[in-house]
Amino acid sequence: MDENIQHKQKMQKRKQLQSEILATKTEEKGLLIVYTGSGKGKSTAAFGTMFRMVGYGRKVGVVQFIKAPEWQTGERKAAEAFSGLVEWHTMGEGFTWDTQDRQRDIDSCRKAWDKAKELLKRDDLSLVILDELNIALRYDYLPLDEVLQVLGQRPAMQHVIITGRNAKATLIEAADLVTEMTLIKHPFDAGIKAQKGIEY
Amino acid sequence: MDENIQHKQKMQKRKQLQSEILATKTEEKGLLIVYTGSGKGKSTAAFGTMFRMVGYGRKVGVVQFIKAPEWQTGERKAAEAFSGLVEWHTMGEGFTWDTQDRQRDIDSCRKAWDKAKELLKRDDLSLVILDELNIALRYDYLPLDEVLQVLGQRPAMQHVIITGRNAKATLIEAADLVTEMTLIKHPFDAGIKAQKGIEY
């Protein structure tokens, strides 16, 4: 049989299967999304989703748990083009090895979480991004139980994205969509430094 | 010893180590980045990087190998806010099971690749995104040798991001940064359909 006819028949079958599967996917709800793992692309994917959302004119709230306000990032600059749609709170004070003060880290995580709790009540926000929250949870700077409880009580159609390495198992269990960004190759290993527009 | 003092000393050591490592990372170059794997977030991370880049006023070119121009996506809408900085070419004709025509798939991949080759010569573009190129390579719709050769001859400071499942081993070898998006949990499995602002 001709290769093209064979291909056509195979694809017709696949299309039918695809349609049958799609017909069973009917529910809509706010998703709890977790991007974790040691590979690059966790926060980047979160901010990609943010721009996708504002592309439809919907509102997004961002809380950054580790990054400090004085750090310039391309994503925050780009978000200024959608100032009516993006509410951005950079509440961190830097990495633990920069602050060198455990109590200060805990206090700033608590402040960020208080802000997050406000956003997680607002049904005008289609998406809330909790950037690097996993780091705060990993070091037990915040009580996981409380975080899960607040997430469970948010508006039904509100999507949430949580980023950061070492996501807690209970969080993964509660989530609807989890991707682990697995490190296969990193330019750092080849002596290449962090570059504008790529890493920040 | 007091827990906080212990923490401070540990972090001071870590900071020193961090600074020593950073000092060895001096090179800058255009990176070849591959986002692959079956998890969510590959194209999303690519478009997150696009917005990061335009946030610094730098130019980005996009070629989409599979997605068709009539598909509305939030990222393309959002990119319109940066029309002077983003050059967007949606050259696909849909999934193979939609077209059901192998020769047509090959022809449209070839046309997309011709456009990509133009962008990969231009040093005014800081970043070129070749969305779903891995799919075209996987089905041998394009010759991998030619793709690798053209990538190798692009402007030295131009970053490239290639997305799609099943990246070829030779491409991974040629790349500087590779993340595999590993599927841990997908809402599709729970009967939830693709939602605006999240999936597209």
Side-chain angles (χ1 to χ4, degrees), chain B residues 19 50 61 78 82 130 141 152 171 188 200:
Chain B
S19 304
M50 174 182 84
F82 306 93
L130 305 176
Y141 288 173
L171 180 67
F188 233 54
Y200 60 95

Side-chain angles (χ1 to χ4, degrees), chain B residues 98-114:
Chain B
D98 283 323
T99 60
Q100 300 178 5
D101 185 332
R102 194 166 179 273
Q103 193 53 50
R104 195 173 135 187
D105 290 348
I106 294 173
D107 292 346
S108 80
C109 280
R110 191 72 231 181
K111 251 172 59 188
W113 174 239
D114 287 342

Side-chain angles (χ1 to χ4, degrees), chain A residues 3-4 7-8 11-15 18 21-22 24-31 33 35-36 39-56 58 72-75 77-79 81-82 96-103 105 127 139 141 157 159 161 171-200, chain B residues 3-4 7-8 11-15 18 21-22 24-31 33 35-36 39-56 58 72-75 77-79 81-82 96-103 105 127 139 141 157 159 161 171-200:
Chain A
E3 194 189 11
N4 287 328
H7 175 87
K8 193 179 171 67
M11 288 304 138
Q12 281 173 336
K13 269 189 206 143
R14 188 159 168 195
K15 171 76 182 173
Q18 207 77 20
I21 293 170
L22 268 176
T24 68
K25 314 300 172 190
T26 51
E27 209 191 328
E28 286 204 322
K29 65 171 228 176
L31 300 178
I33 298 171
Y35 288 133
T36 190
K40 282 284 302 170
K42 300 180 290 292
S43 297
T44 318
F47 293 120
T49 312
M50 174 182 84
F51 286 106
R52 185 169 282 162
M53 203 56 99
V54 298
Y56 292 111
R58 299 190 183 182
Q72 288 292 333
T73 60
E75 56 270 28
K77 282 171 182 279
F82 306 94
T96 48
W97 56 85
D98 283 323
T99 59
Q100 300 179 4
D101 185 333
R102 193 164 178 276
Q103 194 51 52
D105 290 347
L127 170 67
Y139 290 110
Y141 288 173
M157 290 308 296
H159 303 288
I161 303 181
L171 180 67
I172 288 176
E173 214 163 294
D176 301 292
L177 189 161
V178 183
T179 301
E180 182 168 340
M181 272 64 172
T182 310
L183 176 75
I184 307 287
K185 217 180 211 183
H186 197 291
F188 233 53
D189 300 332
I192 295 164
K193 66 179 183 180
Q195 295 177 90
K196 210 180 236 192
I198 296 291
E199 304 269 343
Y200 60 93
Chain B
E3 192 189 13
N4 287 329
H7 176 87
K8 192 177 169 68
M11 288 304 139
Q12 280 173 336
K13 269 189 206 145
R14 188 158 167 194
K15 171 78 182 172
Q18 208 76 19
I21 293 171
L22 269 177
T24 68
K25 314 299 173 191
T26 52
E27 209 191 328
E28 286 203 321
K29 65 171 229 177
L31 300 178
I33 298 171
Y35 288 133
T36 191
K40 281 284 304 171
K42 302 180 289 291
S43 297
T44 318
F47 293 120
T49 312
M50 174 182 84
F51 286 105
R52 187 170 280 163
M53 202 55 96
V54 298
Y56 292 112
R58 299 192 183 182
Q72 289 291 336
T73 60
E75 56 271 29
K77 282 171 183 279
F82 306 93
T96 51
W97 57 85
D98 283 323
T99 60
Q100 300 178 5
D101 185 332
R102 194 166 179 273
Q103 193 53 50
D105 290 348
L127 170 65
Y139 291 110
Y141 288 173
M157 291 309 295
H159 303 288
I161 304 181
L171 180 67
I172 288 177
E173 214 162 294
D176 302 292
L177 187 161
V178 182
T179 301
E180 182 168 340
M181 273 65 173
T182 310
L183 175 78
I184 306 288
K185 215 181 212 185
H186 197 290
F188 233 54
D189 300 333
I192 296 163
K193 67 179 183 180
Q195 294 177 90
K196 211 179 235 191
I198 295 293
E199 302 268 346
Y200 60 95

Side-chain angles (χ1 to χ4, degrees), chain A residues 1 15 26 39 67 74 84 93-94 99 102 110 118 125 142 150 158 177 185 188:
Chain A
M1 210 191 319
K15 171 76 182 173
T26 51
K67 292 190 184 91
E93 304 208 336
T99 59
R102 193 164 178 276
R110 191 74 230 178
E118 283 175 33
L125 297 175
L142 291 173
V150 171
Q158 188 184 67
L177 189 161
K185 217 180 211 183
F188 233 53

